[in-house]
Amino acid sequence: SRPRPTALCPPSCSPPPRRPNQEEAYEPIGLGLRQELQALPFVAQVDAIYSARTHDEPDSNGYYPVSMGEIAAEGPLYTYFQSLLQLEEALPGEGYYGVPRLNERGNLALAIVGLPPQRLRTEAVNYVVVEGQLDAAAFAAGDGVILNVHSAYGGDQEVQRPQVGDMLPITFYDKATGAYHKRSLQVQAVIQSAHEYSSSYMRNGDIIITDELFRQIYSDHERMISALEVTATAELDSQLAQMVRTVLQQSHHHQLITSSRYDSRISAENDHKTYSLIGFFLALVLAVIGISNVVNTVTAGVLAHKLEYAAMQSVGMTRRQLTRFIFGDCVRFVLIALALMLPLGVWVSRMMADNSLLTGFNASLFAASYLCAAVIMLALCALLAVALVKVLNRKSLVERLREVA
């Protein structure tokens, strides 16, 4: 069975990757669901994406294998895949995996996708066009085919693949009727996924044809809808997204997975909050450690020189002068720390900002944080100086000098 179907609103998709098997049979998406989504007031268009399927029975282990379409083992396309398969067998471990193979009927089992031509525009960003071009108008004519050269086919450059402009005789197998439908299709483009995380309906397809041609070939095409892509008239908000979820829940289709710009935006906002909370927690821990070190250092220094402070007070130093003196010592420690923190902080921040999960280095935000830390540390020095002078003067000057002696 095919990957779980996906309903998307608006045009932004992230379909699940092809899985080797699943524990339950594929549950087709009914046309009723498409009509209900189309009836929503904010929906402009609902496109159906098709994937050919032939396996409905579990294997010997009780799992439902990935279901592929089938074409007759003949012609240039079959020769191309057989050449890749020979490389896979000759060079194991060299990246030649996932190559279409012959099945129990002697047909070539491969992924066949039926795509609405207007979706080529949104799909184009996910692919590198190796040869040809993704022309929606030419594709809509219905006599073209797009060949997807998966990155897994590492030896593609070592075999002769079909070229743009070649006419490929392809005989499609329709399991519902047991009939074969022969078509002569011209290669319009050869593509390859731009990256492994691309949001695309075509990424698992070996050959891509128009949805109209797909419906002509497969008599039970209504049971082969693998995804619905919903184009909304505006960006979704929580209320509109809930309307979509309500329609899906009422369909009682437990295999459906949804993805949308709204969901991605909310997920990104939640991730940002999580990372911010973790960052603030780490900053708090580091701040506590830093403040503790400053307090301990200054306190230890004052107590170690309490005889000198007592002697200076005995010759006329006032309490306010002693406070300023201790405050000055504390400020010197803080200035040294701030001088080290500036270059090190910029370096660490830039290094962490390179992570794709973060939003990048913000110089103004760093400067504001740096100034805030400086103000807090200076305020701490003032409070610490006042507190230490108060501690030193709990006893009279005579008692302090006598105690030290």
Side-chain angles (χ1 to χ4, degrees):
S1 46
R2 296 296 297 169
R4 292 185 177 183
T6 307
L8 302 173
C9 309
S12 172
C13 60
S14 181
R18 183 190 300 176
R19 299 183 298 172
N21 50 52
Q22 60 184 32
E23 298 178 354
E24 59 187 4
Y26 169 83
E27 183 179 349
I29 300 176
L31 289 179
L33 177 59
R34 182 180 182 182
Q35 295 169 354
E36 290 176 10
L37 289 171
Q38 186 69 67
L40 293 175
F42 57 89
V43 172
Q45 183 177 342
V46 181
D47 290 319
I49 290 85
Y50 299 90
S51 296
R53 302 176 55 251
T54 56
H55 292 97
D56 297 308
E57 301 298 328
D59 58 21
S60 58
N61 295 319
Y63 289 98
Y64 292 83
V66 170
S67 184
M68 300 287 188
E70 298 181 20
I71 64 174
E74 59 186 18
L77 198 58
Y78 168 68
T79 302
Y80 165 63
F81 285 122
Q82 283 297 103
S83 299
L84 286 177
L85 187 59
Q86 291 172 6
L87 283 177
E88 179 186 27
E89 295 172 348
L91 300 171
E94 294 295 325
Y96 308 93
Y97 57 88
V99 180
R101 303 168 182 268
L102 297 180
N103 63 7
E104 66 278 3
R105 276 184 286 271
N107 292 330
L108 188 65
L110 74 172
I112 302 172
V113 174
L115 187 76
Q118 65 271 18
R119 286 299 167 197
L120 280 183
R121 180 180 60 83
T122 56
E123 293 284 344
V125 297
N126 299 310
Y127 289 90
V128 174
V129 179
V130 179
E131 187 180 359
Q133 58 182 346
L134 295 178
D135 187 338
F139 188 61
D143 58 353
V145 61
I146 297 174
L147 178 62
N148 186 7
V149 182
H150 297 284
S151 58
Y153 303 162
D156 178 70
Q157 67 277 7
E158 301 178 25
V159 301
Q160 183 62 38
R161 66 161 179 258
Q163 304 295 310
V164 169
D166 290 353
M167 298 301 296
L168 298 181
I170 304 177
T171 303
F172 297 89
Y173 174 68
D174 180 9
K175 184 182 178 184
T177 61
Y180 287 85
H181 303 275
K182 190 167 186 176
R183 296 287 190 277
S184 182
L185 303 177
Q186 186 177 45
V187 179
Q188 178 180 329
V190 178
I191 62 174
Q192 188 176 69
S193 180
H195 52 85
E196 60 179 315
Y197 301 110
S198 64
S199 299
S200 171
Y201 294 115
M202 304 194 305
R203 67 176 178 178
N204 290 331
D206 294 303
I207 58 175
I208 296 94
I209 59 178
T210 65
D211 57 337
E212 179 62 31
L213 179 58
F214 190 98
R215 289 190 290 266
Q216 294 175 11
I217 294 171
Y218 296 101
S219 57
D220 60 341
H221 58 83
E222 293 182 359
R223 295 177 56 83
M224 296 185 181
I225 299 176
S226 62
L228 294 175
E229 182 163 284
V230 181
T231 304
T233 56
E235 287 287 344
L236 297 188
D237 55 24
S238 59
Q239 182 179 1
L240 298 182
Q242 183 56 45
M243 292 175 67
V244 175
R245 295 191 192 98
T246 299
V247 171
L248 299 180
Q249 290 169 357
Q250 292 175 349
S251 71
H252 301 292
H253 196 308
H254 63 282
Q255 292 182 351
L256 285 175
I257 296 176
T258 63
S259 178
S260 69
R261 288 179 179 174
Y262 170 77
D263 291 334
S264 299
R265 184 170 66 250
I266 296 301
S267 177
E269 290 175 356
N270 290 336
D271 289 344
H272 182 268
K273 292 177 182 177
T274 301
Y275 299 142
S276 297
L277 182 61
I278 294 174
F280 284 129
F281 176 76
L282 292 176
L284 179 61
V285 172
L286 293 176
V288 170
I289 294 174
I291 291 173
S292 299
N293 287 335
V294 171
V295 171
N296 289 336
T297 301
V298 174
T299 301
V302 170
L303 295 180
H305 296 85
K306 59 183 180 180
L307 176 59
E308 289 87 339
Y309 293 138
M312 286 188 290
Q313 284 185 293
S314 68
V315 295
M317 175 180 277
T318 66
R319 184 169 181 153
R320 180 175 296 181
Q321 289 174 327
L322 179 59
T323 302
R324 285 200 300 266
F325 187 84
I326 296 176
F327 174 75
D329 284 342
C330 183
V331 168
R332 280 193 290 273
F333 286 114
V334 170
L335 292 178
I336 294 173
L338 291 175
L340 294 174
M341 186 176 74
L342 183 58
L344 291 177
V346 171
W347 178 73
V348 172
S349 299
R350 286 187 178 277
M351 183 178 62
M352 295 183 63
D354 290 337
N355 192 305
S356 60
L357 297 177
L358 303 178
T359 57
F361 178 74
N362 189 318
S364 59
L365 181 60
F366 178 85
S369 301
Y370 183 80
L371 292 175
C372 183
V375 170
I376 291 175
M377 294 302 292
L378 292 176
L380 175 64
C381 287
L383 293 175
L384 187 58
V386 172
L388 288 174
V389 170
K390 186 176 181 180
V391 170
L392 290 175
N393 286 280
R394 282 180 179 176
K395 297 180 180 179
S396 67
L397 185 58
V398 174
E399 290 176 323
R400 288 160 57 194
L401 291 172
R402 184 183 301 162
E403 182 181 291
V404 174

